[in-house]
């Protein structure tokens, strides 16, 4: 704690949580642009069940931060109309699995409006979805639903893994003229970093991956809630003589092929890690792209470490489902491919 | 499972022909009363059935005790979460009591108590909330659908099941429960419409407890009452005092009877109050004041009935004590059941995804098996 405080003293940065950075991003966007409206279930008086919209209704009034009736299709459908009329709605889906009633609006309209209207009617909507497990939630509170979103052309899909990115990516999403599904790894809401809302670091926007750790033996490709797990695995792998590079995708659509390909060409080996089910999951796409672009550089097949292909398990069993350090290290060991 | 194997199959084969469609020329009979229907404390209480009321009382006391015990288990970390129904026991109890064995209950995530009152083992009823499995019982065995977490999504299921039973000639009624917030979901509206068009034997019970987490009813609907929503779909709406177990029992019984007789669905709005926070993760002081909660305390469902029955000589000290003792016995069993650590088999993760295991899942199961064995060796 003392080192953190000392470091913070010079920069004006204090330890801040991802949750605080997200709140600040919406606050700043609303202050700068009167067309930004926040809406969803419990986002007003309560500040959201995770308190991510805390204080927005007080500061900007209930017309700008609105408690809606309890109806996800209605929330997103209304956001479509608001965006058609020039507003920039930021909607909150309370939990991953409760966004499903809104899929009709998402798939049929949000994702397609620009295309249907030959560009005449873009929809600048940000859809915030707390997602993923590891919090001991009961059923329907822990889905990793990114595969559905990334399989839907017309949507951007981003997910921060750090406090800085939470702020920077959310600002970029709200500023985007296209709909963005903004996936919030809820188990990282309370992760902390030194961060200053007065001088938020400029982060690369939507569509750029970042190398979070450089290495030479293999690349771990990951995003969102699995980033800290991969960084931990990379540390642990040092003991085994493996020097792992870790790439944080940050944005699943668009997918930053160049950063990923450059890394894998350097290291010659790759493992994709995510919580979502493996079959038809984002990792399948990434592994395919990497294979297509790096075939001659690869020393081993691209492996995936993912959640099992099962409905999200009850809390007492989730530890067996979620990709952890050991499973990642096992995959890394299998990269010593000798046909 | 074939249709012939379904429970209730062969029970009766007298298909009720669906009524011919006719435009409703008069919506007035469908409209709810202006005030919630009450029995306790009114002249209607003169016709109370003492034996039934004593049963109601015992169930209410047990229900209150169940709520207290489950809440305590949450504080002890034995339950991940418990959405309490303190204050709403009359709705939960009456819903279970009016159903016959062959009928089905479609509870929402808050309605554990209704499931227990229907006879479900209290420990089984809580496994979802403890976190060992999503549904701790066989729905067919108890004719209780899994407690539904996604709001209002169980309502179309209730309609479909009731419709199917009628097609098969079985006199089965489905009673589906939903909160005030849930009435805003599209599924609620689609379910009501289907039920009315099909004249399905369904009873929709809305527990209007004032809030959907933090959002008050005024931000949920602009309708005069939630019961009014029935009219547009062409079914009767009934407004009833949800803290008055006698009124709840009467209105629900009537709706179930009508459904069973082929009279179609009913929407019942029970006006009640959520005395505790949404769950233990919720801070209710952010959105409501103590005064409101205090005012509802004076309208407590257990006290209301106890006062009426003791003043009428239907219940005495001995009867009250007997109910409390029975409730304690249940609470002790629940404590004991929940304090035993559940023995879980991680391999269960793969056991119930498909009827026939896929190769891929077999592979993943083998991976987990190897990990568990390695852990065991370590
Ligand atoms: C489809 C869906 N959206 C959101 C939620 C999250 N959620 C759980 S309970 C709740 C409030 C429910 O209020 P109400 O329907 O009035 O029932 P009550 O909790 O008062 O019994 C919300 C928003 C959910 N479970 N399902």
């Amino acid at each position: 704690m003392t080192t953190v405080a000392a470091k913070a003293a010079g920069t004006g940065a204090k330890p801040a949580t991802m949750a605080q950075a997200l709140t600040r991003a919406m606050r700043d966007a609303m202050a700068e642009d009167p067309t930004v409206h926040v809406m969803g279930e419990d986002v007003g008086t309560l500040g959201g069940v995770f308190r991510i919209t805390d204080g927005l209704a007080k500061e900007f009034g209930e017309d700008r931060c609105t408690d809606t009736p309890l109806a996800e299709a209605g929330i997103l459908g209304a956001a479509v109309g608001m965006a058609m009329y020039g507003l920039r709605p930021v909607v909150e889906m309370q939990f991953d699995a409760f966004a499903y009633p809104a899929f009709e609006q998402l798939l049929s309209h949000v994702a397609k409006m620009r295309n249907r209207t030959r560009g005449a009617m873009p929809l600048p909507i940000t859809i915030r979805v707390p997602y993923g497990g590891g919090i001991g939630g009961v059923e329907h509170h822990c889905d990793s639903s990114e595969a559905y979103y990334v399989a839907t052309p017309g949507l951007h899909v981003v997910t921060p893994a750090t406090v800085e990115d939470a702020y920077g990516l959310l600002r970029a999403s709200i500023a985007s003229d296209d709909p963005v599904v903004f996936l919030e790894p809820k188990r990282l809401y309370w992760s902390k970093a030194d961060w200053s809302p007065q001088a938020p670091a400029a982060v690369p926007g939507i569509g750029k991956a970042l190398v979070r750790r450089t290495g030479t033996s293999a690349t771990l490709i990951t995003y969102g809630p699995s980033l800290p797990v991969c960084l931990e695995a990379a540390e642990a792998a040092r003991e085994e003589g493996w020097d792992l590079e870790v790439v944080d995708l940050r944005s699943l659509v668009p997918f930053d092929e160049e950063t990923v390909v450059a890394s894998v060409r350097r290291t010659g080996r790759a493992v994709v890690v995510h919580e979502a089910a493996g079959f038809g999951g984002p990792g399948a796409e990434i592994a395919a792209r990497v294979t297509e672009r790096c075939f001659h550089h690869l020393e081993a097949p691209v492996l995936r470490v993912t959640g099992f292909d099962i409905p999200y398990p009850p809390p007492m069993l989730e530890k067996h489902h979620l990709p952890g350090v050991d499973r990642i290290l096992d995959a890394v060991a299998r990269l010593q491919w000798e046909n | 499972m074939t249709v012939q194997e379904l429970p209730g199959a062969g029970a009766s084969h007298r298909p009720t022909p669906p009524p011919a469609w006719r435009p409703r020329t008069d919506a007035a009979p469908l409209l709810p009363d202006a005030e919630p229907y009450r029995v306790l404390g009114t002249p209607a209480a003169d016709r109370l059935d003492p034996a039934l009321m004593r049963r109601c009382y015992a169930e209410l006391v047990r229900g209150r005790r169940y709520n207290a015990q489950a809440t305590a288990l949450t504080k002890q970390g034995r339950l991940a979460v418990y959405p309490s129904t303190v204050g709403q026991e009359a709705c939960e109890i009456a819903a279970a009591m009016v159903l016959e064995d062959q009928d089905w209950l479609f509870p929402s995530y808050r309605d554990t108590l209704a499931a227990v009152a229907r006879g479900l083992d209290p420990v089984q009823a809580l496994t979802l909330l403890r976190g060992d499995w999503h549904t701790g019982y066989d729905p067919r065995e108890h004719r209780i659908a899994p407690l539904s977490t996604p709001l209002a999504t169980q309502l179309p299921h209730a309609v479909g099941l009731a419709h199917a039973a009628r097609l098969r000639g079985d006199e089965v009624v489905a009673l589906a429960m939903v909160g005030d917030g849930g009435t805003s979901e599209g599924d609620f509206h689609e379910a009501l419409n289907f039920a009315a068009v099909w004249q399905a034997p369904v009873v929709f019970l809305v527990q209007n407890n004032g809030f959907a987490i933090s959002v008050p009813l005024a931000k949920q609907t602009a309708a005069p009452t939630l019961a009014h929503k029935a009219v547009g779909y062409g079914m009767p709406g009934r407004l009833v005092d949800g803290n008055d177990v006698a009124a709840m029992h009467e209105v629900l019984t009537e709706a179930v009877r009508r459904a069973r007789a082929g009279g179609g669905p009913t929407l019942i709005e029970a006006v009640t109050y959520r005395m505790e926070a949404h769950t233990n993760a919720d801070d209710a002081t952010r959105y409501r004041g103590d005064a409101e909660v205090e005012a509802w305390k004076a309208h407590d469902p257990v006290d209301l009935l106890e006062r009426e029955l003791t003043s009428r000589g239907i219940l005495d000290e001995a009867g009250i004590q007997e109910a409390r003792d029975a409730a304690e016995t249940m609470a002790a069993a629940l404590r004991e059941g929940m304090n035993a650590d559940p023995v879980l088999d991680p391999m269960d993760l793969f056991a119930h995804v498909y009827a026939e295991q896929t190769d891929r899942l077999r592979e993943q199961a083998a991976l987990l098996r190897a990990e568990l064995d390695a852990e065991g060796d370590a």
Side-chain angles (χ1 to χ4, degrees), chain A residues 42 45-46 51 54 62 69-72 138-141 278-279 308-310 312-316 320 327, chain B residues 128 130-134 149-151 181 184-185 212-215 219-220 286 344 346 349-350 360-361 364 371:
Chain A
D42 301 286
T45 312
L46 190 66
R51 307 287 186 268
D54 202 9
E62 288 191 15
L70 210 171
E72 294 75 12
V138 294
E139 64 171 346
H140 304 290
H141 289 78
F279 193 84
F308 293 132
D309 297 329
I310 60 174
Y312 197 86
M316 284 182 176
H320 300 293
R327 237 171 249 168
Chain B
L128 161 76
R130 177 164 67 179
D132 40 355
W133 201 261
H134 301 307
T149 305
L151 300 169
S184 296
E185 291 282 3
I213 307 188
S214 70
V215 179
K219 287 191 185 173
Q220 204 64 247
R286 280 193 166 228
L344 303 179
L349 290 180
F350 304 98
R360 200 175 156 91
L361 283 186
Q364 294 178 352
E371 285 178 2

Side-chain angles (χ1 to χ4, degrees), chain A residues 197-248:
Chain A
Q198 278 71 39
V203 303
I206 295 173
K208 184 83 186 87
L210 286 176
V211 176
R212 295 288 185 191
R213 182 189 198 280
T214 54
T216 54
S217 336
T219 302
L220 300 181
I221 304 164
T222 191
Y223 55 85
S226 295
L227 177 67
V229 188
C230 284
L231 290 171
E232 200 187 326
E235 280 309 306
R238 282 211 304 209
E239 285 175 27
E240 324 263 332
W242 284 84
D243 178 20
L244 298 182
E245 182 146 314
V246 179
V247 175
D248 173 8

Side-chain angles (χ1 to χ4, degrees), chain A residues 41-42 49 70-72 93-95 97-101 139-141, chain B residues 83-85 88 92 108-111 148-153 178-185 187 206-215 217 220 274 278-279:
Chain A
E41 293 155 11
D42 301 286
V49 292
L70 210 171
E72 294 75 12
M93 294 289 149
Q94 202 159 72
F95 276 91
F98 305 146
Y100 301 150
E139 64 171 346
H140 304 290
H141 289 78
Chain B
S84 149
T85 40
Q88 302 179 218
E92 300 279 312
S108 90
Y109 77 103
R110 194 179 290 285
D111 305 315
S148 181
T149 305
L151 300 169
T153 49
V178 66
D180 43 299
T183 66
S184 296
E185 291 282 3
D187 277 339
V206 180
Q207 289 182 73
N208 169 8
N209 64 7
F211 292 89
I213 307 188
S214 70
V215 179
L217 188 68
Q220 204 64 247
R274 193 190 75 211
H278 169 67
T279 66

Side-chain angles (χ1 to χ4, degrees), chain B residues 245-328:
Chain B
V245 75
M248 284 301 301
H249 194 278
E250 198 178 302
V251 170
L252 281 165
T253 301
E254 170 61 17
V256 167
R257 190 198 57 71
R258 232 167 42 77
R260 205 182 303 285
T266 306
L267 174 67
I268 297 169
E269 174 187 355
V271 183
T272 180
Y273 196 77
R274 193 190 75 211
M275 297 304 291
E276 297 186 341
H278 169 67
T279 66
N280 51 319
D282 173 40
D283 174 10
T285 60
R286 280 193 166 228
Y287 54 84
R288 72 182 188 189
D290 290 344
E292 190 179 289
V293 184
E294 282 306 311
W296 275 92
K297 265 191 192 154
H299 197 61
D300 182 88
V302 187
D303 296 346
L304 279 184
L305 185 66
E306 192 174 296
R307 237 178 289 143
E308 182 84 53
L309 298 188
T310 47
S311 75
R312 285 176 182 271
I314 295 175
L315 187 71
D316 57 12
E317 266 314 311
I320 293 173
Q321 198 50 50
E322 195 183 319
R324 288 184 185 159
D325 290 347
E328 277 316 315

